[in-house]
Amino acid sequence: MKNLLAGLAAAACGVATSVLAALINVGIAYLFDFNLFKLSFWVIVPVGAILLGLVAASGYHFGSIRFNRKPGKVLLVQMLVIAGLAMLLIYWLGYRMMRFGDGGYVADILPFGQFLHISLTKASYAVGRSSAQEAGGFGYFLAAIQFGGFLIGAGVVYIMLASKAMCASCELYLDELASKRKGYADASAASAYFDTLFTLPADGHAFAEMIRAEASVQKAEHGALRIDAHLLACPRCQVQTIDERVQGHNGKGWKLLQELDRRLVLPKGLNLMVAFGGGAAAR
Ligand SMILES: [Zn+2]
């Protein structure tokens, strides 16, 4: 019962932001005469649709965390279905608002399906500097790409949610208590920390010292690594978890090295707030 309610509450948040995404699109179209949903780069990269998909699914993200809804197949399917409906809503709102030159509503004359067919196939698009051409059957292909973009946006939100740490026994999302960043000039400098830390007993002095120790890199250049350690805790049982993310510098910028992500659940009762530089009486 509790799970059902949590699921419904999270879904309600998702529906709310999906409707919001559709309204944002209509609002922008109304105010600026610009269709964000159809915005794409090089015709086939649907940035506008991806963006709206992110907005549409964001409610699931916040709702699931707020109501501790576990990510899973049901949630993913729900997110995708609602994303699909939001996309239909975007088309439908465009349909309801469109007027002929004489001020009459298109919706009074044309059924929705016919409107959709016409607006997809008669839409014009331009590649680079070539003059605009009518989309024809290609319009359905473009719509499919936009739909794909919308789902990608929703999928990204799901992946973000699925990667969030949860307490295995309480099934609650963990709160972040503190974080600490260390920087290293190269992999061998980083390995003294990275390869050792999780081999030490977590409740020992050496473990806490290693977390407490400062390490920074003078210059961000190719091969440099930085490790962000996050101290998380379950809001109910208070058990703490260390979540580490590693970034590497490729000469141009920092890049997340996801394959090095790691997590360690600490023994019950162990509080590492002090090692992380936070107050002793954090909780
Ligand atoms: Zn817990």
Side-chain angles (χ1 to χ4, degrees):
M1 189 62 193
K2 203 175 131 262
N3 277 341
L4 182 69
L5 282 179
L8 283 175
C13 295
V15 170
T17 48
S18 296
V19 172
L20 181 72
L23 290 177
I24 286 174
N25 191 61
V26 171
I28 290 175
Y30 184 76
L31 292 174
F32 306 108
D33 195 23
F34 167 73
N35 193 332
L36 177 64
F37 182 62
K38 290 186 175 163
L39 174 69
S40 59
F41 290 158
W42 309 293
V43 181
I44 56 161
V45 183
V47 274
I50 292 175
L51 215 69
L52 286 168
L54 279 171
V55 173
S58 65
Y60 269 110
H61 190 255
F62 300 117
S64 296
I65 292 170
R66 173 70 184 75
F67 299 104
N68 289 295
R69 173 89 199 272
K70 229 176 158 176
K73 269 187 214 135
V74 178
L75 182 68
L76 181 62
V77 168
Q78 241 182 50
M79 278 174 80
L80 297 181
V81 167
I82 289 185
L85 290 176
M87 188 171 139
L88 260 183
L89 182 64
I90 285 174
Y91 278 117
W92 189 79
L93 288 172
Y95 163 69
R96 294 303 306 186
M97 286 183 54
M98 185 174 269
R99 291 171 187 244
F100 289 115
D102 63 4
Y105 281 100
V106 170
D108 291 338
I109 294 168
L110 223 54
F112 181 51
Q114 214 172 337
F115 162 84
L116 211 53
H117 177 71
I118 292 173
S119 70
L120 290 180
T121 54
K122 299 291 180 199
S124 58
Y125 66 97
V127 183
R129 291 189 186 155
S130 71
S131 57
Q133 4 192 339
E134 214 168 78
F138 188 55
Y140 276 98
F141 176 68
L142 288 179
I145 283 181
Q146 283 152 6
F147 186 54
F150 204 83
L151 294 187
I152 286 172
V156 165
V157 172
Y158 178 81
I159 290 169
M160 278 167 58
L161 190 65
S163 71
K164 266 193 79 72
M166 244 188 168
C167 174
S169 44
C170 308
E171 299 204 330
L172 297 176
Y173 285 103
L174 306 186
D175 296 332
E176 176 155 343
L177 301 180
S179 69
K180 201 167 170 71
R181 169 170 287 178
K182 294 187 203 302
Y184 301 94
D186 53 43
S188 69
S191 82
Y193 165 81
F194 193 79
D195 295 338
T196 313
L197 183 70
F198 283 12
T199 64
L200 300 171
D203 51 0
H205 181 68
F207 187 90
E209 264 319 299
M210 200 157 221
I211 286 173
R212 193 202 310 267
E214 302 291 338
S216 59
V217 61
Q218 299 298 326
K219 243 185 5 203
E221 52 189 9
H222 185 83
L225 291 164
R226 64 186 185 195
I227 303 174
D228 288 311
H230 301 271
L231 183 64
L232 313 173
C234 172
R236 185 180 297 156
C237 69
Q238 317 284 317
V239 166
Q240 296 183 349
T241 295
I242 292 178
D243 188 70
E244 279 194 331
R245 305 277 161 102
V246 182
Q247 295 175 71
H249 204 284
N250 62 6
K252 289 182 199 143
W254 293 102
K255 216 175 162 300
L256 203 59
L257 304 172
Q258 263 170 333
E259 65 277 14
L260 296 179
D261 282 2
R262 60 180 186 175
R263 221 168 253 169
L264 179 72
V265 180
L266 301 175
K268 198 171 167 72
L270 181 63
N271 183 353
L272 281 181
M273 270 307 272
V274 176
F276 272 82
R283 273 175 173 269

